[in-house]
Amino acid sequence: MSAFLLTGAISCKKSSDGNNNNTNSGAKSIVIKITLSPVPGTNQGSFTGAVNAMLPGTDLATWKVNDVVRSNETTIGFTTADFKNGVLTLETTAPVTITNLSVSGVTTAQFPYTATVQWTLGGKANDPISLPVTSTMTRSYEIK
């Protein structure tokens, strides 16, 4: 999944090299909140994902994960273990022009759960997206 996001970021970088990258035109803050309900227990399922974003100058953004800056990781991979009380918050440290988010969940019909994804882009929140996980679920989002 990280390879998919990195490929998308590289693709975005190549396609924007001809633009004037010296301005913050169109760059916005991004905060992503993912909630699991209930959190899959050990041997009951899993949830994974990855996220990255491009700065206006076509560099990859730095992320805060649950309010902790992860400065050496431009693509953040996460698993169920990264959630605190069923919630994971991802936030860039600077405004970005595009964000790529991929999530996937696996479980059995005996242990279903729901992942809710909501992002706030430039101060405007999208409607929460409810993703029921009853077997295998995979979604990708390009946020700009």
Side-chain angles (χ1 to χ4, degrees), residues 93-108:
T93 60
V96 298
T97 56
I98 188 167
T99 302
N100 296 297
L101 171 68
S102 291
V103 295
S104 63
V106 176
T107 192
T108 63

Side-chain angles (χ1 to χ4, degrees), residues 32-52:
I32 300 168
K33 180 180 175 183
I34 304 171
T35 306
L36 301 179
S37 179
V39 177
T42 304
N43 299 323
Q44 294 181 346
S46 66
F47 187 85
T48 61
V51 66
N52 68 22

Side-chain angles (χ1 to χ4, degrees), residues 1-2 4-6 8-9 30-35 47-54 63 75-78 83 88-90 98-104 115-120 126 129 131 137-144:
M1 192 170 307
S2 293
F4 166 75
L5 288 171
L6 187 55
I30 181 87
V31 178
I32 300 168
K33 180 180 175 183
I34 304 171
T35 306
F47 187 85
T48 61
V51 66
N52 68 22
M54 299 296 295
W63 289 88
T75 297
I76 301 296
F78 51 87
F83 286 74
L88 177 67
T89 303
L90 306 156
I98 188 167
T99 302
N100 296 297
L101 171 68
S102 291
V103 295
S104 63
T116 303
V117 178
Q118 184 173 29
W119 57 80
T120 302
N126 75 313
I129 300 167
L131 304 170
M137 176 279 305
T138 301
R139 298 287 188 281
S140 295
Y141 303 96
E142 182 177 89
I143 307 164
K144 54 183 178 175

Side-chain angles (χ1 to χ4, degrees), residues 5 18 21 27-30 65 68 80 82-83 92 103 109 113 140:
L5 288 171
N21 294 322
K28 298 177 182 175
S29 62
I30 181 87
V65 178
V68 176
T80 310
D82 294 304
F83 286 74
T92 57
V103 295
Y113 66 93
S140 295

